[in-house]
Amino acid sequence: MDETPGPATPLPGLGAPIRAGIPEHGRVPKYYAVKGQLEALLDELGEGGVLPTERDLAARFEVARETLRQALRDLLIQGRVRRRGRSTVVAGPKLEQPLSLASYTEGVRRQGRVPGRNLIGLERSAADPLLAGQLAIGVGEQVWHLERVLLADGERVGLESTYLAVARVPELDREFDPGSSFYAFLTEKAGVELGGADERIETVLASPREALLIGTPPALPMLLLHRLTRDAAGVPLERVRSLYRGDRFGFTTRLEAD
Amino acid sequence: MDETPGPATPLPGLGAPIRAGIPEHGRVPKYYAVKGQLEALLDELGEGGVLPTERDLAARFEVARETLRQALRDLLIQGRVRRRGRSTVVAGPKLEQPLSLASYTEGVRRQGRVPGRNLIGLERSAADPLLAGQLAIGVGEQVWHLERVLLADGERVGLESTYLAVARVPELDREFDPGSSFYAFLTEKAGVELGGADERIETVLASPREALLIGTPPALPMLLLHRLTRDAAGVPLERVRSLYRGDRFGFTTRLEAD
């Protein structure tokens, strides 16, 4: 609520009815008050600073351990703090990735971080009707499924799952280095020219398997990007599901008037 | 996990190391298995269908009430089910709003829903240094703060908080109907031409006050859009913080090659 600068001036034209029926603040829960105190402490400590133990913090703020834990959980989910071994440290700012056709690799590099990927699997299978429709291929045609954990400065931050027709890149398993940029491979080695994509952004919870692969607590909200990419001729190229840690990532975009 | 169509073919070129160090599935928690069974039930019931009681469901799936509740909580957060009075019903699909300069009003109408807004407050105050910098006005200059709950088909789905200089629209409190589109007012009545905006998208938890205003459970992940809008001359116009229920909203965008 630190968004309201200075005292509010009541408006003669808009009297009592403004807030009618909607309590302005309600009761502020205790954990939320503690969270505010913790945030001030985080600012003091600065990025990388180590927090005192839960017991010390509970004593300092004169609250129950459970109340303190709830406040810390919120800060963890928001990405204000993170675990490092047994300690809790002040986290750095979220990574801000532009929404663009550019690859993950390029976006992370632009922010001065080192991108990386760990291969989970590269397998071929037969396209089901949904996927075949999305890729404009026949049902049962062979598709690649490439799944990789995304890294920034060596830390696991996301999970990317890509489907595309084997006919597009028959030698993917032999020619592609799964630790490198897939879009760089497509455009530089496979001769594919990217045209555009339709993307959908949501917030979801990670499944237990996804949480395990990314190494996050299971209740952490994630940003899910679902993308259908076309080549320069407008022909469907790939379907991608990218899951990013909500505590480590945000996306930016520039909107223009029509 | 239903994304892998058909049996996977092992690749001769990529042997054992593919999954090295990363267990493919791990142990599937019991609540997650129950969630899968519940999802099948939701598909059977269809949108608006009423779920059996927790007790009946726990008996049907032969699990503890707490396990069942955990699965239901996940489905609630994902927007697959919703509360209606004392019952739980199958929810409809998420609203998909295009990321564009167009107003909330226009986006919701395009999806065949009726947009609405409830005024929380319209107040004037003095710009603090951060806001003054963002709006390119002097520190201490008067700004409007307009806060409204966003509705779709009468249901509360978001909260929008806008700051702009009083000098831009001195008669805002007298001329603007807070139940109508603010962008329509700006362009049609106040003679402002929109130029563009920079937007940042994150997932956050609602604060207790925000949860109260939107009427959501406090642990629900929200989509936060933070926007700085310019007019056609490139001069900063407004700062907007829009919070949307993650269980009810997704955003779409079309990306083009450079």
Side-chain angles (χ1 to χ4, degrees):
Chain A
M1 304 326 93
D2 55 358
E3 282 205 58
T4 313
T9 314
L11 291 172
L14 290 156
I18 296 184
R19 297 177 191 281
I22 306 183
E24 192 189 4
H25 293 288
R27 193 178 63 84
V28 174
K30 194 169 241 180
Y31 88 90
Y32 199 74
V34 171
K35 189 178 156 191
Q37 294 177 288
L38 278 170
E39 282 173 320
L41 177 62
L42 301 182
D43 289 341
E44 270 173 47
L45 291 171
E47 183 175 343
V50 180
L51 268 75
T53 64
E54 284 184 5
R55 191 163 60 177
D56 289 351
L57 287 171
R60 179 194 298 209
F61 299 134
E62 296 176 335
V63 292
R65 281 284 276 278
E66 192 37 54
T67 306
L68 185 90
R69 281 208 196 99
Q70 199 181 345
L72 277 177
R73 244 191 324 263
D74 253 37
L75 292 169
L76 203 65
I77 286 176
Q78 284 181 295
R80 288 293 320 267
V81 300
R82 46 206 303 206
R83 303 275 186 220
R84 200 167 61 199
R86 289 190 160 201
S87 9
T88 303
V89 302
V90 183
K94 285 187 187 181
L95 291 164
E96 290 198 350
Q97 188 93 331
L99 287 174
S100 81
L101 257 196
S103 67
Y104 168 78
T105 310
E106 210 177 303
V108 170
R109 276 212 188 107
R110 261 188 229 147
Q111 292 169 83
R113 312 274 180 149
V114 181
R117 307 145 211 81
N118 281 344
L119 183 65
I120 304 302
L122 174 56
E123 289 169 348
R124 45 196 296 170
S125 56
D128 65 17
L130 176 64
L131 182 60
Q134 288 168 329
L135 296 183
I137 60 176
V139 175
E141 272 189 47
Q142 289 289 296
V143 289
W144 292 114
H145 177 206
L146 170 64
E147 192 177 30
R148 301 187 294 176
V149 169
L150 304 174
L151 311 171
D153 288 346
E155 180 199 15
R156 290 180 279 170
V157 291
L159 183 66
E160 189 184 77
S161 170
T162 301
Y163 288 93
L164 84 170
V166 168
R168 283 271 190 179
V169 277
E171 308 289 318
L172 187 64
D173 53 337
R174 279 212 288 267
E175 291 175 354
F176 173 55
D177 165 14
S180 69
S181 161
F182 184 53
Y183 279 12
F185 170 81
L186 282 181
T187 55
E188 290 160 23
K189 299 217 178 126
V192 174
E193 204 182 330
L194 297 178
D198 285 310
E199 200 155 70
R200 194 175 72 227
I201 306 156
E202 295 177 72
T203 175
V204 297
L205 296 179
S207 72
R209 174 175 180 272
E210 289 163 344
L212 189 70
L213 288 172
I214 306 179
T216 64
L220 188 80
M222 312 287 279
L223 284 164
L224 170 65
L225 272 68
H226 194 93
R227 174 184 285 196
L228 287 174
T229 312
R230 301 174 297 278
D231 65 18
V235 179
L237 173 64
E238 55 161 12
R239 180 180 85 188
V240 188
R241 182 182 200 275
S242 313
L243 206 58
Y244 293 92
R245 293 181 64 138
D247 60 341
R248 302 296 298 133
F249 262 85
F251 289 89
T252 58
T253 185
R254 172 155 282 198
L255 307 169
E256 305 292 343
D258 297 331
Chain B
M1 303 325 90
D2 54 0
E3 282 203 57
T4 311
T9 312
L11 292 171
L14 291 156
I18 295 185
R19 296 179 193 281
I22 307 185
E24 192 187 6
H25 293 287
R27 193 178 62 84
V28 174
K30 195 171 242 178
Y31 87 91
Y32 199 74
V34 172
K35 188 178 157 191
Q37 293 176 290
L38 278 170
E39 281 173 321
L41 176 62
L42 301 182
D43 289 341
E44 269 174 48
L45 291 170
E47 183 175 342
V50 179
L51 269 74
T53 64
E54 283 185 7
R55 190 163 62 178
D56 289 352
L57 287 170
R60 180 195 299 210
F61 299 134
E62 296 176 334
V63 292
R65 281 284 277 278
E66 192 38 51
T67 305
L68 184 89
R69 281 208 196 100
Q70 198 181 347
L72 277 177
R73 244 190 325 261
D74 252 37
L75 293 168
L76 203 66
I77 285 176
Q78 284 181 297
R80 289 294 319 268
V81 300
R82 46 207 299 204
R83 304 275 186 218
R84 199 166 62 198
R86 288 190 161 201
S87 13
T88 302
V89 302
V90 183
K94 285 187 189 182
L95 292 164
E96 289 197 353
Q97 189 92 331
L99 286 175
S100 81
L101 257 196
S103 68
Y104 168 78
T105 310
E106 209 177 302
V108 169
R109 276 211 189 106
R110 260 189 230 147
Q111 292 169 84
R113 312 275 179 148
V114 180
R117 304 146 213 84
N118 281 343
L119 183 64
I120 303 303
L122 175 56
E123 289 170 346
R124 45 197 295 171
S125 58
D128 65 16
L130 176 64
L131 182 59
Q134 288 168 330
L135 297 183
I137 60 174
V139 175
E141 274 190 46
Q142 289 288 296
V143 288
W144 292 115
H145 178 206
L146 170 65
E147 193 177 32
R148 302 187 294 176
V149 169
L150 304 174
L151 310 170
D153 288 347
E155 179 199 14
R156 289 180 280 171
V157 290
L159 183 66
E160 190 184 75
S161 170
T162 301
Y163 288 92
L164 84 170
V166 168
R168 284 272 190 179
V169 278
E171 308 289 318
L172 187 63
D173 53 338
R174 281 211 288 267
E175 292 174 352
F176 173 57
D177 165 12
S180 69
S181 161
F182 184 54
Y183 278 11
F185 170 81
L186 281 181
T187 54
E188 291 160 23
K189 298 218 177 121
V192 174
E193 205 182 327
L194 297 178
D198 286 310
E199 201 156 68
R200 195 176 71 227
I201 306 157
E202 296 177 71
T203 175
V204 296
L205 297 179
S207 72
R209 175 176 180 270
E210 289 163 346
L212 188 72
L213 289 171
I214 307 178
T216 63
L220 188 79
M222 312 285 280
L223 284 164
L224 170 64
L225 272 66
H226 194 93
R227 176 184 285 196
L228 286 175
T229 313
R230 298 174 299 278
D231 65 18
V235 180
L237 173 64
E238 55 160 15
R239 180 180 86 188
V240 188
R241 183 183 199 276
S242 312
L243 206 59
Y244 293 91
R245 293 180 63 135
D247 60 341
R248 302 296 299 132
F249 262 85
F251 290 89
T252 59
T253 186
R254 171 155 285 197
L255 306 169
E256 305 293 344
D258 298 330

